[in-house]
Amino acid sequence: IWIITELCHLGHLGEYSSDYHLTTEHHLHLMKQNSSALAYLHGLDPPLLHRDINPSNIMLTLEDGKHVVKLTDFGVSHVMDSDRSKFTFSVQGTEVYMSPELLDEKWSGKDSKVGTLYSVQYLAGADIFAAALVFYQMILTTPGKCITHAEASIRGISREMLKNRREMEQDKQTEMLDPIQTNTNDSKLVVHIKSLLRTMMHIEPECRKLMDKVEESIDALIDTYNIAHSVPNTAYILKKCLVHQLHFTADDRVGFSP
């Protein structure tokens, strides 16, 4: 038995960001495609939850001179139950990108640890929150540096939100938690993107903007700012792809025996 998988020449999002100078405009098109993939999964009947959205599971390739996003690694994905509310599962995924409800005993009834079994209200909102963190990490990435350099900025956001919420509840405050900070030197586009991310990172999972609506919002930004789908350093990318292919020997190539 042979298993043939697609070769994504550009690697995953983290690798690609370390090789090329991606602008916010480039990232926006990648965000749109990832949103479209998640919107499709969540729109199935019953919905399919990915449960491990992070940069290493977002693969990239080139088709007709444009970036194409491939959402991968469905090893811990799960079909949502018919009542679309709860199921028992082992906490899996990448902790940095986990939403607050997956880390809070208020939802689980226990202290949450990766690998712990408990019944939790796991909705599409968990994927939405993780996607928002990836998007936020992308726009924080300094051109020419690996996307993981920006990971420090998002690490602990969920736990900090939980801590702040508990303090608010004790003080009986009702002000909105804001995990995304906008700086005075942000461009208008970045300000709009951060505003979108806030709607995806609400502390309550049921209140997060659904991925089909996120995709629509990104489309609106692309149209408003007239952002073309360009690829940086096309010649270098094509050269890299060719070198990558030449590294395969005849024995390495996948085929079928008669």
Side-chain angles (χ1 to χ4, degrees):
I1 297 176
W2 295 88
I3 299 177
I4 301 177
T5 59
E6 181 179 359
L7 176 63
C8 293
H9 301 88
L10 304 183
H12 63 69
L13 180 60
E15 292 175 331
Y16 188 68
S17 295
S18 67
D19 287 342
Y20 307 106
H21 290 212
L22 298 183
T23 65
T24 300
E25 288 75 12
H26 290 132
H27 285 145
L28 197 61
H29 279 283
L30 301 182
M31 289 163 59
K32 174 189 173 342
Q33 292 188 54
N34 193 55
S35 298
S36 178
L38 277 174
Y40 173 79
L41 295 179
H42 295 171
L44 295 173
D45 189 15
L48 180 65
L49 308 180
H50 187 281
R51 296 178 59 206
D52 194 17
I53 301 297
N54 69 73
S56 64
N57 288 336
I58 300 173
M59 305 298 290
L60 297 169
T61 187
L62 282 178
E63 292 181 10
D64 298 325
K66 295 182 178 180
H67 290 119
V68 176
V69 166
K70 308 282 186 175
L71 185 59
T72 65
D73 193 354
F74 289 78
V76 296
S77 61
H78 202 290
V79 174
M80 189 179 289
D81 283 353
S82 57
D83 65 359
R84 302 193 177 192
S85 59
K86 294 185 178 182
F87 60 83
T88 301
F89 77 106
S90 177
V91 180
Q92 299 289 343
T94 308
E95 185 172 350
V96 174
Y97 302 94
M98 285 183 179
S99 55
E101 65 271 18
L102 300 183
L103 301 172
D104 186 18
E105 65 276 9
K106 181 173 182 178
W107 274 275
S108 67
K110 297 181 179 180
D111 289 331
S112 305
K113 291 182 179 180
V114 173
T116 303
L117 278 172
Y118 55 82
S119 180
V120 64
Q121 188 179 37
Y122 197 110
L123 303 173
D127 281 352
I128 296 169
F129 191 95
L133 285 181
V134 172
F135 296 168
Y136 191 29
Q137 186 175 357
M138 288 164 67
I139 65 173
L140 289 175
T141 301
T142 303
K145 290 188 177 180
C146 180
I147 195 170
T148 54
H149 283 237
E151 187 175 293
S153 298
I154 67 166
R155 184 177 295 276
I157 280 183
S158 288
R159 295 195 181 278
E160 187 65 23
M161 289 175 69
L162 290 173
K163 175 184 175 182
N164 291 340
R165 187 186 66 175
R166 292 189 186 109
E167 292 175 352
M168 286 187 197
E169 289 174 347
Q170 290 173 358
D171 296 336
K172 298 182 179 180
Q173 296 178 4
T174 58
E175 58 198 78
M176 179 181 175
L177 291 169
D178 187 2
I180 305 294
Q181 299 301 317
T182 300
N183 300 316
T184 54
N185 60 344
D186 281 340
S187 68
K188 289 184 178 180
L189 175 59
V190 171
V191 171
H192 282 131
I193 292 175
K194 287 185 175 182
S195 178
L196 172 61
L197 295 182
R198 290 187 186 95
T199 68
M200 300 170 66
M201 295 174 65
H202 197 284
I203 188 68
E204 301 294 343
E206 300 90 344
C207 297
R208 293 171 196 151
K209 194 164 196 170
L210 298 180
M211 291 309 303
D212 58 338
K213 299 301 181 183
V214 171
E215 184 182 5
E216 290 177 6
S217 296
I218 295 175
D219 268 332
L221 287 176
I222 289 174
D223 290 341
T224 299
Y225 289 91
N226 194 25
I227 300 172
H229 188 168
S230 60
V231 177
N233 305 316
T234 306
Y236 179 66
I237 291 175
L238 294 176
K239 179 180 177 182
K240 180 181 179 182
C241 293
L242 178 61
V243 171
H244 188 86
Q245 288 179 320
L246 293 176
H247 282 169
F248 286 93
T249 65
D251 292 335
D252 291 328
R253 297 191 181 107
V254 178
F256 288 94
S257 298

